[in-house]
Amino acid sequence: MPSGRSRGRNIPVYPLAMDSLIAASARALAAGDALGALKHVALRDDPPALALRGIAMAQLGELLRARELLRRAARGFGAHEELSRARCVVAEAEVALAERDIGGSPRALTAALATLEAHADRANAMQARLIAARRLLLLGRLAEAETTLAQLDARGLSPSLAAVAELTTAELALRSLRMEPARLALARAQEAARHARVPALLAEVADAQAMFHRPAARRLLAGDEQSLRLDEVAALLASDTLVVDACRRRIGIGVGVGAAWQSLARRPMLFSLARALAEAWPGEIDREALIAGAFRTRDPDESHRVRLRVEIGRLRALVASLAQIEATPRGFVFKPLDGRAVAVLAPPIAGDQASLAALLSDGAAWSTSALALALGASQRTVQRALAELEAEGRVRSIGRARTQRWLSPPLAGITARFTTILLLPAALPME
C-alpha cells in the first residue's frame, strides 16, 4: 500500500474569512465533491477562494495547477493571517506527496504544524502529522514514521481524517509484517470511511484489504516455486527456517539463540552465491553454474575459478553462525546448522528492477530524483534502470526535463496480481 496516494481530498483547509460561498465550497470538498466546490469559487481570486480551488484541482488530479493555486493563496494572506497560510502549506505538502515530490526539506511543514498547534487547529495539525508520517513511510524510514504516528491523538477526528490515520497505521504494520495490527487498523479505516462517505477513501481501504489475498512473494526450491501471501511470508520469516531473502538481499533466521539477519544488500556477488547455493539445497551446485550466475559468463577460465574460491571463502565467514558451505568434487553444498530447512524468498516480480517496478506500481507519477531518494540509489543508476524498463514496455515517461515523470503504463497488471509491499524501501527490519 504505497503511501501518499490521496490527492488533497483529506485536507480540511478552512480560511478565516468564511463567507457563504467559501463555506459551501469547503463543505463540498469535505464531502469529496471537487466539481461542486469549484462551482462556488471558480471565478474568485481572493486567497480563501484560491486555497479551495487548489484543493479541488488536487482532488481532480491537476497537481501542478493545484500547487500553483495554493502558493498564490499563501502569498495572498496578510501578516496577521498566519493560520490561513499554515493551512495552505499543509495543503501543498499533501499535494507534493501525491506528486511524489519528497526530496525537499520538511521544515515548512514542521513550521506550519507549530502554527496550527499554537492556534489550537487540531484537525489540520493532525493532517500535518499524517503527511509527515506518510512521507517517512514512502522513504522507508519506518522507525521515524512510527514515532510520528505515536504522537497522534485520534479522538474526535472527522471520519475522513480518522480513515487516513488508520490507513497510515495499517501501512506501517504491513511494512513491518505485523498482520493482526494491520487487519485491525484496516477494519477501523473501513468503518471511518463508511461514515465519511467518500468513495475514494472506501476504494483505498478496499485495495489495502485486498493485499492480504494477493501473492506477495515466491518461495524457490530446487527449480520449483510456490506463491506466498503476506501472512505466509510473515510466518516463514518468524520460523527457524534459514531464509535467503531476495526481497531485502539478506540471509538469516527469525528465531533461535543468537539468530540474526546478515545483510548482503551491498555485496551483490556474495548474495548471488548464497541464493544459488540455497536454491540447490539440499543438493549441490557445480562450480560452472555458480560462475555463470555470479560472474555472468558461460566461458569460465582459471581466473574465474580462483575468484570463485575467494568469494566462497568470504561468504563462509559471513554465514558461519548460520550454515556451512562444503566443497564437493563438482562444486559446493549448503548445510545449515542444527538441521534447519532452507528457503529462498524471491520477489513476486521477476527481474533486477523489481523494487523500482514496485514503487511505480502505485499509479503515481515519479520523478527520477524522487525514485533515487526512495531507493537510496544514484540518479544515474535509476535513469539506466528506467531506460531498461521503458525498452521492455514496463514504464513510460510524461513531460520533459525538470517536469519529466515516470509511471507504469495502464493495464500493466502488476498491482492487479501482486502485492509489492515487500519490495518497497526498508520494508523489512534489517536485523
Side-chain angles (χ1 to χ4, degrees):
M1 182 172 51
S3 62
R5 286 186 293 178
S6 61
R7 301 183 183 274
R9 62 173 176 268
N10 304 307
I11 308 172
V13 177
Y14 302 116
L16 294 178
M18 291 289 286
D19 61 41
S20 59
L21 291 178
I22 291 295
S25 180
R27 285 194 296 270
L29 284 176
D33 182 8
L35 292 177
L38 283 175
K39 290 179 181 178
H40 298 293
V41 294
L43 300 180
R44 293 176 52 165
D45 285 325
D46 53 296
L50 289 173
L52 294 171
R53 284 170 57 192
I55 299 170
M57 296 303 291
Q59 289 188 6
L60 295 172
E62 297 292 336
L63 303 183
L64 290 176
R65 178 60 174 159
R67 295 188 74 176
E68 177 188 348
L69 288 167
L70 289 166
R71 287 170 180 168
R72 285 176 57 193
R75 291 194 300 267
F77 285 114
H80 63 288
E81 297 174 302
E82 63 173 2
L83 179 58
S84 292
R85 284 204 309 273
R87 289 165 173 168
C88 289
V89 170
V90 173
E92 186 185 350
E94 170 79 11
V95 178
L97 194 65
E99 200 180 17
R100 295 302 185 262
D101 182 3
I102 56 177
S105 171
R107 285 180 295 183
L109 181 61
T110 302
L113 172 60
T115 299
L116 294 168
E117 290 181 332
H119 287 81
D121 187 350
R122 183 169 172 269
N124 281 302
M126 288 285 291
Q127 180 66 26
R129 289 193 186 278
L130 282 172
I131 293 169
R134 287 156 56 206
R135 178 180 178 274
L136 291 168
L137 284 175
L138 203 60
L139 292 171
R141 292 155 62 176
L142 305 189
E144 294 176 61
E146 187 166 19
T147 299
T148 301
L149 285 175
Q151 299 172 359
L152 296 179
D153 182 2
R155 292 174 298 178
L157 290 181
S158 66
S160 60
L161 199 55
V164 176
E166 295 296 352
L167 276 168
T168 308
T169 300
E171 180 175 352
L172 175 63
L174 282 172
R175 297 279 296 274
S176 305
L177 287 182
R178 291 180 281 132
M179 297 294 103
E180 191 57 29
R183 287 191 177 92
L184 292 174
L186 285 175
R188 294 191 298 267
Q190 184 177 45
E191 184 66 21
R194 285 174 178 166
H195 281 91
R197 298 181 180 179
V198 177
L201 273 177
L202 287 167
E204 193 163 343
V205 173
D207 185 61
Q209 290 173 327
M211 287 187 180
F212 291 101
H213 308 291
R214 297 174 184 160
R218 295 172 294 146
R219 180 174 180 170
L220 308 181
L221 179 63
D224 294 328
E225 67 177 58
Q226 173 192 2
S227 292
L228 300 179
R229 299 186 308 273
L230 276 174
D231 57 344
E232 293 171 327
V233 171
L236 175 63
L237 293 177
S239 71
D240 65 351
T241 301
L242 176 59
V243 178
V244 177
D245 182 358
C247 297
R248 302 305 300 169
R249 290 183 175 266
R250 61 181 189 159
I251 180 172
I253 54 177
V255 299
V257 178
W261 289 97
Q262 176 67 55
S263 175
L264 298 176
R266 298 186 181 277
R267 308 189 73 171
M269 178 72 68
L270 297 187
F271 179 78
S272 178
L273 293 172
R275 176 171 175 172
L277 287 163
E279 286 189 32
W281 181 86
E284 63 179 344
I285 182 170
D286 62 61
R287 289 173 176 82
E288 284 68 24
L290 280 173
I291 290 172
F295 305 143
R296 305 296 176 91
T297 179
R298 297 189 179 278
D299 188 21
D301 55 26
E302 187 59 30
S303 67
H304 291 107
R305 295 183 180 91
V306 171
R307 188 181 177 191
L308 176 63
R309 288 196 293 271
V310 172
E311 299 296 345
I312 286 290
R314 290 171 175 165
L315 182 60
R316 276 196 184 107
L318 280 174
V319 303
S321 64
L322 302 171
Q324 295 177 340
I325 302 174
E326 297 184 359
T328 68
R330 293 180 54 246
F332 297 92
V333 63
F334 206 42
K335 290 193 173 181
L337 302 181
D338 301 324
R340 291 187 176 91
V342 176
V344 176
L345 190 66
I349 305 172
D352 295 335
Q353 313 303 342
S355 293
L356 185 57
L359 283 174
L360 292 169
S361 70
D362 66 358
W366 287 74
S367 67
T368 304
S369 59
L371 288 168
L373 183 63
L375 293 172
S378 68
Q379 287 197 46
R380 183 63 60 87
T381 298
V382 171
Q383 287 168 348
R384 287 196 297 265
L386 287 169
E388 294 175 9
L389 290 174
E390 187 176 32
E392 298 170 5
R394 296 172 63 185
V395 302
R396 63 186 177 93
S397 64
I398 55 175
R400 293 183 179 181
R402 294 176 64 87
T403 63
Q404 186 179 42
R405 296 291 185 271
W406 296 87
L407 68 164
S408 291
L411 304 180
I414 293 176
T415 55
R417 296 196 305 267
F418 301 117
T419 292
T420 57
I421 201 157
L422 296 181
L423 299 174
L424 296 173
L428 298 175
M430 299 303 294
E431 57 184 26

